[in-house]
Short mmCIF file of all heavy atoms in Angstrom, two decimals:
data_model
loop_
_atom_site.label_atom_id
_atom_site.label_comp_id
_atom_site.label_asym_id
_atom_site.label_seq_id
_atom_site.Cartn_x
_atom_site.Cartn_y
_atom_site.Cartn_z
N MET A 131 27.26 41.97 -24.89
CA MET A 131 27.99 43.02 -24.18
C MET A 131 29.47 43.06 -24.57
O MET A 131 30.07 44.12 -24.62
CB MET A 131 27.91 42.76 -22.66
CG MET A 131 28.57 43.82 -21.81
SD MET A 131 28.80 43.36 -20.06
CE MET A 131 27.23 42.70 -19.60
N LEU A 132 30.02 41.88 -24.89
CA LEU A 132 31.45 41.78 -25.18
C LEU A 132 31.73 41.53 -26.66
O LEU A 132 32.80 41.05 -27.01
CB LEU A 132 32.05 40.64 -24.34
CG LEU A 132 31.85 40.75 -22.82
CD1 LEU A 132 32.36 39.51 -22.11
CD2 LEU A 132 32.52 42.00 -22.27
N ALA A 133 30.79 41.86 -27.51
CA ALA A 133 30.95 41.61 -28.94
C ALA A 133 32.09 42.44 -29.52
O ALA A 133 32.36 43.56 -29.07
CB ALA A 133 29.65 41.96 -29.67
N PRO A 134 32.80 41.88 -30.52
CA PRO A 134 33.84 42.65 -31.19
C PRO A 134 33.32 44.00 -31.67
O PRO A 134 32.20 44.10 -32.19
CB PRO A 134 34.24 41.75 -32.37
CG PRO A 134 33.96 40.37 -31.86
CD PRO A 134 32.71 40.51 -31.03
N GLY A 135 34.10 45.03 -31.43
CA GLY A 135 33.71 46.39 -31.78
C GLY A 135 33.22 47.19 -30.59
O GLY A 135 33.21 48.42 -30.62
N LYS A 136 32.80 46.48 -29.51
CA LYS A 136 32.34 47.17 -28.30
C LYS A 136 33.54 47.66 -27.49
O LYS A 136 34.60 47.05 -27.52
CB LYS A 136 31.51 46.24 -27.42
CG LYS A 136 30.23 45.75 -28.07
CD LYS A 136 29.10 46.69 -27.79
CE LYS A 136 27.83 46.18 -28.44
NZ LYS A 136 26.71 46.13 -27.58
N LYS A 137 33.34 48.75 -26.78
CA LYS A 137 34.37 49.27 -25.89
C LYS A 137 34.42 48.40 -24.64
O LYS A 137 33.38 48.11 -24.04
CB LYS A 137 34.02 50.72 -25.52
CG LYS A 137 35.05 51.40 -24.66
CD LYS A 137 36.05 52.12 -25.50
CE LYS A 137 36.94 53.00 -24.62
NZ LYS A 137 38.13 53.43 -25.30
N ALA A 138 35.60 47.99 -24.23
CA ALA A 138 35.76 47.17 -23.03
C ALA A 138 35.63 48.07 -21.80
O ALA A 138 36.23 49.15 -21.75
CB ALA A 138 37.11 46.47 -23.03
N LYS A 139 34.83 47.63 -20.81
CA LYS A 139 34.69 48.40 -19.57
C LYS A 139 36.02 48.40 -18.82
O LYS A 139 36.69 47.37 -18.74
CB LYS A 139 33.66 47.74 -18.64
CG LYS A 139 32.24 47.88 -19.06
CD LYS A 139 31.37 47.24 -17.97
CE LYS A 139 29.91 47.24 -18.38
NZ LYS A 139 29.09 46.58 -17.35
N ASP A 140 36.37 49.54 -18.28
CA ASP A 140 37.59 49.60 -17.48
C ASP A 140 37.37 48.83 -16.18
O ASP A 140 36.24 48.70 -15.69
CB ASP A 140 37.95 51.06 -17.18
CG ASP A 140 39.40 51.21 -16.72
OD1 ASP A 140 40.20 50.25 -16.89
OD2 ASP A 140 39.75 52.29 -16.20
N LEU A 156 42.71 48.17 -16.53
CA LEU A 156 42.74 47.89 -17.96
C LEU A 156 43.20 49.12 -18.72
O LEU A 156 44.05 49.03 -19.61
CB LEU A 156 41.36 47.43 -18.45
CG LEU A 156 41.23 47.22 -19.96
CD1 LEU A 156 42.15 46.10 -20.44
CD2 LEU A 156 39.79 46.91 -20.34
N ASN A 160 46.26 49.16 -21.19
CA ASN A 160 45.83 49.29 -22.57
C ASN A 160 46.47 50.49 -23.28
O ASN A 160 46.58 50.51 -24.50
CB ASN A 160 44.31 49.40 -22.60
CG ASN A 160 43.70 49.10 -23.94
OD1 ASN A 160 42.66 49.64 -24.27
ND2 ASN A 160 44.31 48.23 -24.72
N TYR A 244 31.29 42.19 -16.11
CA TYR A 244 31.42 41.72 -17.49
C TYR A 244 30.36 40.68 -17.85
O TYR A 244 30.40 40.11 -18.94
CB TYR A 244 32.83 41.17 -17.72
CG TYR A 244 33.81 42.22 -18.23
CD1 TYR A 244 34.09 43.36 -17.49
CD2 TYR A 244 34.43 42.08 -19.46
CE1 TYR A 244 34.96 44.33 -17.95
CE2 TYR A 244 35.31 43.03 -19.95
CZ TYR A 244 35.57 44.16 -19.18
OH TYR A 244 36.44 45.12 -19.66
N VAL A 262 41.65 43.08 -26.43
CA VAL A 262 41.25 44.49 -26.46
C VAL A 262 42.36 45.26 -27.17
O VAL A 262 43.52 45.18 -26.76
CB VAL A 262 41.05 45.03 -25.03
CG1 VAL A 262 40.62 46.49 -25.05
CG2 VAL A 262 40.04 44.19 -24.26
N ASP A 263 42.01 45.96 -28.25
CA ASP A 263 43.05 46.69 -28.99
C ASP A 263 43.43 47.98 -28.26
O ASP A 263 42.84 48.33 -27.24
CB ASP A 263 42.63 46.93 -30.44
CG ASP A 263 41.51 47.96 -30.61
OD1 ASP A 263 41.17 48.68 -29.64
OD2 ASP A 263 40.97 48.05 -31.72
N LYS A 264 44.42 48.67 -28.80
CA LYS A 264 44.96 49.86 -28.12
C LYS A 264 43.92 50.96 -27.96
O LYS A 264 44.01 51.79 -27.06
CB LYS A 264 46.19 50.39 -28.87
CG LYS A 264 46.98 51.39 -28.06
CD LYS A 264 48.27 51.80 -28.72
CE LYS A 264 48.96 52.85 -27.85
NZ LYS A 264 50.21 53.31 -28.45
N SER A 265 42.89 50.96 -28.79
CA SER A 265 41.84 51.98 -28.67
C SER A 265 40.82 51.60 -27.60
O SER A 265 39.91 52.38 -27.31
CB SER A 265 41.12 52.17 -30.02
OG SER A 265 40.26 51.07 -30.28
N GLY A 266 40.96 50.40 -27.00
CA GLY A 266 40.04 49.97 -25.96
C GLY A 266 38.87 49.16 -26.47
O GLY A 266 37.97 48.81 -25.71
N LYS A 267 38.86 48.84 -27.77
CA LYS A 267 37.77 48.06 -28.34
C LYS A 267 38.08 46.57 -28.33
O LYS A 267 39.23 46.16 -28.55
CB LYS A 267 37.46 48.51 -29.76
CG LYS A 267 36.78 49.87 -29.81
CD LYS A 267 36.39 50.23 -31.22
CE LYS A 267 35.68 51.59 -31.23
NZ LYS A 267 35.43 52.05 -32.59
N ILE A 268 37.05 45.79 -28.10
CA ILE A 268 37.18 44.33 -28.13
C ILE A 268 37.28 43.89 -29.59
O ILE A 268 36.46 44.27 -30.42
CB ILE A 268 35.98 43.66 -27.45
CG1 ILE A 268 35.93 44.06 -25.96
CG2 ILE A 268 36.04 42.14 -27.61
CD1 ILE A 268 34.62 43.71 -25.27
#
Side-chain angles (χ1 to χ4, degrees):
M131 183 193 313
L132 303 174
K136 297 271 180 130
K137 183 92 170 164
K139 287 183 185 178
D140 197 14
L156 175 63
N160 199 210
Y244 269 60
V262 181
D263 71 12
K264 194 174 178 181
S265 74
K267 288 185 179 173
I268 297 167

